[in-house]
Amino acid sequence: MKVVKFGGSSLASGIQLMKVLDVVKNDDMRKIIVVSAPGKRFSDDTKVTDLLIDCAAKALLLEDTTEIFNKIISRYRDIVLDTGMDDSVISEISGNLTAILKSDKSNPDQFMDKMKASGEDNNAKLVAAFFNHQGITATYVNPKDAGLFVTEDHAGARVLPESYDNLFALRDYSGLVIFPGFFGYTKSGEISTFSRSGSDITGAIVANGVQAELYENFTDVDAVFVVNPAIVKKPQQVAELTYREMRELSYAGFSVFHDEALIPAFRAGIPVHIKNTNNPESTGTRVIRERDTSNGPVVGIASDDGFCSIYISKYLMNREIGFGRQVLEILERAGLNYEHMPSGIDDLTIILRENQLDATLEAKLIHELTHKLNADFVSIERSLSLIMIVGEAMRQNIGTTFRASRALSSANVNIEMINQGSSEVSIMFGVKKDDEHKAVQALYHEFFQEIEV
Amino acid sequence: MKVVKFGGSSLASGIQLMKVLDVVKNDDMRKIIVVSAPGKRFSDDTKVTDLLIDCAAKALLLEDTTEIFNKIISRYRDIVLDTGMDDSVISEISGNLTAILKSDKSNPDQFMDKMKASGEDNNAKLVAAFFNHQGITATYVNPKDAGLFVTEDHAGARVLPESYDNLFALRDYSGLVIFPGFFGYTKSGEISTFSRSGSDITGAIVANGVQAELYENFTDVDAVFVVNPAIVKKPQQVAELTYREMRELSYAGFSVFHDEALIPAFRAGIPVHIKNTNNPESTGTRVIRERDTSNGPVVGIASDDGFCSIYISKYLMNREIGFGRQVLEILERAGLNYEHMPSGIDDLTIILRENQLDATLEAKLIHELTHKLNADFVSIERSLSLIMIVGEAMRQNIGTTFRASRALSSANVNIEMINQGSSEVSIMFGVKKDDEHKAVQALYHEFFQEIEV
């Protein structure tokens, strides 16, 4: 049995649905279909999820939602018309969305999640109707009925372990199961969504629950590239990589596959196959437990901007047991999540996403760190990018740091910081944002183009 | 006015005292002399401080101390005989040590500190007598009378800020002031010592207090070397380096000058001049605020073994606000001081000195980290060395990391971890202890021998 997840662009129009039909018909092991909400049909298009967020925001502000409501419904209607189905599923979707819009708004996060989740939920109903219309038995299954339970962290829900056992029963359906991605239910029966692009997570959880032999993730690119194609033109594709490599890359800016979606697959040892709905013949990228690493130490290079560093220096800091803990406590009380904390003898640097820090919080933080910790000097530097080079084989490969720093040096990029722990699946370099593209290009050239020369 | 500190080997014998006399006579700006306890006369000799620790331990265990007591007194007596002084100072020293041995032992740390401090204290009395015997007016001054107040952390005392004002009065003495290093008094009048080799600290505090124009530190080497001579034969000498560079190097294994001794000099802007009592003509090493950095990015390479790493991995660690803080809290409660904490996405590594961890604590710690933090995997790796390359100019110098990692790579050394924060006065490499010498030699070759080739 295979669990197949289709992304938003694979479900954006009637033409796309016909491609999905071909994919599913082509392999009768494909039994459980996890769907996103309809995505973009063209680059300037708006995703249904974004329309729903807009609509929910207007509803919370008690503004008129008629126009945006109609826009959402017309997205579903276009698909129905394109595929020659009758209108009944549109009435159902429209009724459902109307009811949600009228529902209790006393908890805005809860309301927002209900609105967002309706994108996937209603699309699953539509896709199920589509398959049946095409003569293929398919059943829409709601996550509550399937027992997909999650925590109450709205827009950041985490699966509760009992869900896996519950989901095993999905195997018993005859015909296809069409399952909406992106959300589950709390134990008190409320909808709670995963973080954005969380349909990947649903797919992985379902694959784990039913003990699938493969989790296929259909998107709109032929494969995972070794580097962001917006930075390096026509980069190499990755044929195979491990779960850990994929997770590090996804986290640091690779948007093909959600970084939280890997662990349910990993824990059950289910390979993830990333494929292209628009080009299903392409071999895609397989994410597996172990891979042949003979083709070089680095499997991919990821980068992300929007980081800042907080620098704290205090004489004899290293002798104060508890200093680092106090720093982290101050950050925690301010609700800040940090990424890395490289340290010298009398100083430490904290790297965090800069969108967490507005000017007020920044001033407050500098004041608090200076006075509560009696620090000698505190400063904040903005506009940093983190670059991660990732590869399981770096552990056995002595020269990787050397090659990476040579490449950065030749490209005239100053390394602001380096972080390499003992796991050594990745090495992180901090650089100024202005240097990010230059740095990534240099690293790509070093690790992926030398072979050709 | 210059403050001059003489180390233990400069005061180990009558011959050495005659050299000290020459040094002091040679420059009449040398007014305040800070002294260590008598050190080694030859490589297998025992320092008086070690004899005192031995004696104190025996006394605490109620064992017989006669033999070791006599050994200590004979060290002072040898010096007195060699220099032709009369015996009166020996009676004074002997009476003082007898009284301390008989004193209250209910607080063993306090008793140990009293015993240890007597080494410097009695030697200061001896040196004062020696100068007077040589016709030079010299007054022994006790730190309590001079107002050198410190915290109660025995063997790790820190100066209280009011001391600086009090010490200013040392300027008023006519003739030389002979001041014992290594200890001060708590506000309740008890002796408390600095950490080992803390006479350097006393010298710096006194230099700051009297607003000296120079702090001269006389030891038994011609200069600070760019690398440990036990690892690289006949390494280059450092003519000048900044306080920050010296502090990083001292901390990471350079034993020429105590790492905590720099800040009192730094805060008052007093240059520190490290010189050789046995070769006072040698130019020595000057520690100053700013230096000419045109001779290369790296000023020195230090290394130290005896570290271990604790590796903790947990899926989605980066999403748990407070995870790092909880890890550090567990370490803190166990009384452990950590050095560095490089981190990945789902893992972090903590580097600490391994002598803090015995097998029992190690097992307890693994258990606690695993269960309290619900970690997926916790492991401890021992026998690591940290290597630090230090230099103010690294900030302006793009290729330093590249050159260092190239050197390590060529020497076939695997980099276990790297830590480079945004201060960039140093880059730390973690390597296996077995690779330490090979690694340091390779780095020395890279940064200090290329010029010659």
Side-chain angles (χ1 to χ4, degrees):
Chain A
M1 178 179 283
K2 295 178 184 171
V3 171
V4 192
K5 182 259 172 182
F6 289 96
S9 70
S10 304
L11 304 162
S13 67
I15 296 168
Q16 291 300 87
L17 275 201
M18 294 309 290
K19 292 182 189 167
V20 167
L21 176 70
D22 284 343
V23 166
V24 173
K25 277 165 74 173
N26 205 27
D27 181 349
D28 59 12
M29 298 285 281
R30 292 171 175 149
K31 290 286 289 175
I32 299 177
I33 316 297
V34 175
V35 300
S36 298
K40 293 185 180 187
R41 293 159 293 185
F42 42 88
S43 63
D44 286 344
D45 201 11
T46 308
K47 294 176 179 179
V48 165
T49 304
D50 288 317
L51 296 174
L52 286 164
I53 290 170
D54 207 0
C55 183
K58 281 194 162 62
L60 285 168
L61 296 167
L62 307 175
E63 292 174 13
D64 181 30
T65 56
T66 318
E67 193 187 331
I68 187 109
F69 177 88
N70 290 335
K71 233 185 203 169
I72 295 164
I73 298 302
S74 79
R75 285 295 311 268
Y76 292 111
R77 179 172 291 118
D78 286 350
I79 300 171
V80 165
L81 292 176
D82 282 357
T83 50
M85 291 193 275
D86 69 53
D87 232 13
S88 62
V89 69
I90 295 303
S91 313
E92 190 183 342
I93 291 172
S94 172
N96 173 270
L97 198 56
T98 307
I100 296 174
L101 269 173
K102 283 187 185 151
S103 71
D104 176 39
K105 297 176 189 63
S106 60
N107 181 337
D109 290 338
Q110 214 173 69
F111 176 73
M112 181 58 87
D113 262 9
K114 262 191 293 191
M115 285 291 288
K116 278 155 62 184
S118 78
E120 276 72 11
D121 197 40
N122 284 322
N123 206 31
K125 295 171 196 163
L126 188 156
V127 171
F130 167 73
F131 274 109
N132 285 309
H133 179 73
Q134 295 289 338
I136 296 171
T137 310
T139 313
Y140 154 78
V141 177
N142 180 276
K144 190 191 257 174
D145 300 328
L148 174 45
F149 294 115
V150 297
T151 63
E152 288 179 18
D153 312 294
H154 289 290
R158 292 172 67 174
V159 65
L160 298 178
E162 67 214 74
S163 305
Y164 295 113
D165 285 343
N166 298 339
L167 290 164
F168 190 75
L170 291 178
R171 296 181 72 100
D172 299 338
Y173 282 84
S174 63
L176 299 179
V177 167
I178 314 296
F179 198 92
F182 193 35
F183 70 100
Y185 285 80
T186 66
K187 296 300 278 183
S188 57
E190 293 296 333
I191 279 175
S192 189
T193 66
F194 299 119
S195 54
R196 193 72 199 257
S197 305
S199 293
D200 286 346
I201 304 176
T202 303
I205 292 166
V206 171
N208 179 311
V210 302
Q211 293 175 27
E213 66 191 44
L214 185 65
Y215 170 31
E216 292 180 304
N217 196 286
F218 277 83
T219 172
D220 53 7
V221 291
D222 274 357
V224 171
F225 294 107
V226 297
V227 68
N228 185 348
I231 299 179
V232 172
K233 273 182 199 144
K234 295 194 185 166
Q236 288 185 31
Q237 296 181 5
V238 183
E240 275 187 350
L241 74 178
T242 69
Y243 298 105
R244 288 179 77 190
E245 290 171 335
M246 186 69 205
R247 170 143 170 76
E248 303 257 339
L249 289 170
S250 309
Y251 174 77
F254 269 44
S255 57
V256 176
F257 192 66
H258 197 297
D259 67 317
E260 290 177 36
L262 283 157
I263 217 76
F266 164 71
R267 293 229 161 110
I270 301 165
V272 180
H273 199 168
I274 294 162
K275 297 204 72 178
N276 191 351
T277 306
N278 305 315
N279 184 18
E281 304 311 312
S282 167
T283 50
T285 298
R286 287 176 70 88
V287 189
I288 49 184
R289 203 162 257 174
E290 276 176 54
R291 70 176 178 94
D292 170 27
T293 54
S294 57
N295 58 341
V298 176
V299 75
I301 302 161
S303 65
D304 207 359
D305 59 8
F307 292 92
C308 65
S309 71
I310 304 175
Y311 173 78
I312 306 169
S313 83
K314 181 179 184 184
Y315 176 59
L316 290 186
M317 178 188 288
N318 70 303
R319 274 193 44 194
E320 284 185 45
I321 291 196
F323 190 88
R325 191 259 309 153
Q326 288 174 62
V327 170
L328 295 186
E329 223 164 67
I330 289 174
L331 261 65
E332 193 177 341
R333 272 200 303 270
L336 297 170
N337 208 349
Y338 77 98
E339 308 291 316
H340 301 287
M341 189 165 84
S343 56
I345 293 168
D346 291 331
D347 55 43
L348 57 84
T349 307
I350 295 148
I351 317 293
L352 63 168
R353 292 200 183 262
E354 61 187 344
N355 62 6
Q356 299 179 90
L357 265 192
D358 59 19
T360 320
L361 185 53
E362 176 173 331
K364 192 175 154 255
L365 201 64
I366 291 183
H367 182 268
E368 217 172 327
L369 290 168
T370 309
H371 292 90
K372 286 212 179 145
L373 299 172
N374 212 2
D376 295 331
F377 183 70
V378 178
S379 69
I380 295 187
E381 192 188 342
R382 289 189 172 261
S383 298
L384 295 175
S385 291
L386 296 189
I387 300 174
M388 200 103 96
I389 62 173
V390 175
E392 296 267 1
M394 295 198 307
R395 245 169 308 176
Q396 287 88 47
N397 204 294
I398 282 175
T400 310
T401 310
F402 147 59
R403 290 178 61 191
S405 51
R406 176 179 64 187
L408 295 176
S409 168
S410 309
N412 224 29
V413 171
N414 199 21
I415 301 170
E416 303 285 314
M417 53 227 139
I418 306 180
N419 194 315
Q420 178 191 335
S422 57
S423 78
E424 280 187 66
V425 179
S426 65
I427 304 175
M428 182 279 280
F429 295 95
V431 302
K432 292 207 162 58
K433 180 180 159 42
D434 290 345
D435 285 340
E436 179 186 332
H437 284 208
K438 198 164 72 171
V440 170
Q441 285 154 2
L443 291 168
Y444 179 77
H445 182 79
E446 173 66 34
F447 289 106
F448 294 101
Q449 286 194 315
E450 280 203 335
I451 312 147
E452 294 167 19
V453 178
Chain B
M1 178 179 284
K2 296 178 184 173
V3 171
V4 192
K5 181 257 170 183
F6 289 97
S9 69
S10 304
L11 303 162
S13 67
I15 296 167
Q16 291 300 88
L17 275 201
M18 295 308 290
K19 293 180 189 167
V20 168
L21 177 70
D22 284 341
V23 167
V24 174
K25 276 165 76 172
N26 204 27
D27 182 348
D28 58 14
M29 299 285 282
R30 291 172 175 148
K31 290 286 288 176
I32 299 177
I33 316 298
V34 175
V35 300
S36 298
K40 292 185 180 186
R41 295 158 293 185
F42 41 88
S43 63
D44 286 344
D45 201 10
T46 308
K47 295 176 178 181
V48 165
T49 305
D50 287 318
L51 296 174
L52 286 164
I53 291 170
D54 207 0
C55 182
K58 282 195 160 62
L60 284 168
L61 296 167
L62 306 176
E63 291 175 12
D64 181 31
T65 56
T66 318
E67 193 188 330
I68 187 107
F69 177 89
N70 290 335
K71 234 184 200 168
I72 295 164
I73 299 301
S74 78
R75 283 297 310 269
Y76 294 110
R77 180 173 290 118
D78 285 351
I79 299 171
V80 164
L81 291 177
D82 281 356
T83 49
M85 293 194 275
D86 68 52
D87 233 13
S88 62
V89 69
I90 295 303
S91 313
E92 190 182 341
I93 292 171
S94 173
N96 172 272
L97 198 56
T98 306
I100 296 174
L101 270 173
K102 284 185 184 151
S103 71
D104 176 38
K105 296 176 191 62
S106 59
N107 181 337
D109 290 338
Q110 214 172 70
F111 175 74
M112 180 58 86
D113 262 9
K114 262 191 293 191
M115 285 291 287
K116 277 155 62 183
S118 78
E120 277 71 12
D121 197 41
N122 284 323
N123 205 32
K125 295 171 197 164
L126 187 154
V127 171
F130 166 74
F131 275 109
N132 285 308
H133 180 72
Q134 294 288 339
I136 295 171
T137 310
T139 314
Y140 154 78
V141 177
N142 181 277
K144 189 191 256 174
D145 301 327
L148 175 45
F149 293 116
V150 297
T151 63
E152 287 180 19
D153 313 295
H154 289 290
R158 292 171 67 173
V159 65
L160 298 178
E162 67 214 73
S163 306
Y164 294 114
D165 286 342
N166 299 339
L167 290 164
F168 190 76
L170 290 178
R171 296 182 71 102
D172 300 338
Y173 282 84
S174 64
L176 298 179
V177 166
I178 314 295
F179 199 92
F182 194 34
F183 70 98
Y185 284 81
T186 66
K187 295 300 277 183
S188 58
E190 293 296 335
I191 280 175
S192 188
T193 66
F194 299 119
S195 55
R196 193 74 199 256
S197 305
S199 294
D200 287 346
I201 304 177
T202 303
I205 292 167
V206 171
N208 179 311
V210 302
Q211 292 174 26
E213 66 190 46
L214 185 65
Y215 171 30
E216 292 181 307
N217 196 287
F218 277 83
T219 172
D220 53 8
V221 291
D222 274 356
V224 171
F225 294 107
V226 299
V227 68
N228 185 349
I231 299 179
V232 173
K233 271 181 203 146
K234 295 196 185 165
Q236 290 185 28
Q237 296 181 6
V238 183
E240 276 187 349
L241 75 177
T242 69
Y243 296 107
R244 290 178 76 190
E245 289 170 337
M246 187 69 205
R247 170 144 168 75
E248 303 257 340
L249 288 170
S250 308
Y251 174 76
F254 269 43
S255 58
V256 177
F257 191 65
H258 198 296
D259 67 317
E260 290 178 34
L262 282 158
I263 217 75
F266 164 71
R267 292 230 160 109
I270 301 164
V272 180
H273 200 167
I274 293 161
K275 297 203 72 176
N276 190 351
T277 306
N278 304 317
N279 183 18
E281 305 309 314
S282 167
T283 50
T285 298
R286 287 175 70 88
V287 189
I288 50 184
R289 203 163 257 175
E290 276 176 54
R291 70 175 178 95
D292 171 26
T293 55
S294 58
N295 59 342
V298 175
V299 76
I301 303 161
S303 65
D304 207 0
D305 60 6
F307 292 92
C308 65
S309 71
I310 305 175
Y311 173 79
I312 306 169
S313 82
K314 181 180 184 183
Y315 175 60
L316 290 187
M317 178 188 288
N318 69 304
R319 274 192 44 193
E320 282 186 45
I321 291 196
F323 191 88
R325 191 259 309 152
Q326 288 174 62
V327 170
L328 295 186
E329 222 164 68
I330 289 173
L331 261 65
E332 194 177 341
R333 272 201 303 271
L336 297 170
N337 208 349
Y338 77 98
E339 308 291 317
H340 301 287
M341 188 166 82
S343 56
I345 294 169
D346 290 331
D347 54 43
L348 56 84
T349 307
I350 296 148
I351 316 293
L352 63 168
R353 291 201 183 263
E354 62 187 343
N355 62 7
Q356 299 180 90
L357 268 191
D358 60 17
T360 319
L361 185 53
E362 176 172 331
K364 193 174 154 254
L365 201 64
I366 291 183
H367 183 269
E368 217 173 327
L369 290 168
T370 309
H371 292 90
K372 287 211 179 148
L373 299 173
N374 211 2
D376 296 331
F377 184 69
V378 178
S379 69
I380 294 186
E381 191 187 343
R382 289 189 174 261
S383 299
L384 295 175
S385 291
L386 296 189
I387 300 174
M388 199 104 94
I389 63 173
V390 174
E392 296 267 1
M394 294 198 310
R395 244 170 308 178
Q396 288 87 46
N397 204 293
I398 283 176
T400 311
T401 309
F402 147 58
R403 291 178 60 190
S405 52
R406 177 179 64 190
L408 295 175
S409 167
S410 308
N412 225 27
V413 171
N414 199 22
I415 301 170
E416 302 285 315
M417 53 227 140
I418 306 181
N419 194 314
Q420 178 190 335
S422 57
S423 78
E424 281 187 66
V425 179
S426 65
I427 304 174
M428 182 279 279
F429 296 94
V431 302
K432 292 206 161 57
K433 180 178 159 41
D434 289 345
D435 285 339
E436 179 186 333
H437 284 208
K438 197 166 69 170
V440 170
Q441 285 153 3
L443 291 168
Y444 179 77
H445 182 80
E446 173 66 35
F447 289 107
F448 295 101
Q449 287 193 313
E450 278 202 336
I451 313 148
E452 293 167 19
V453 178

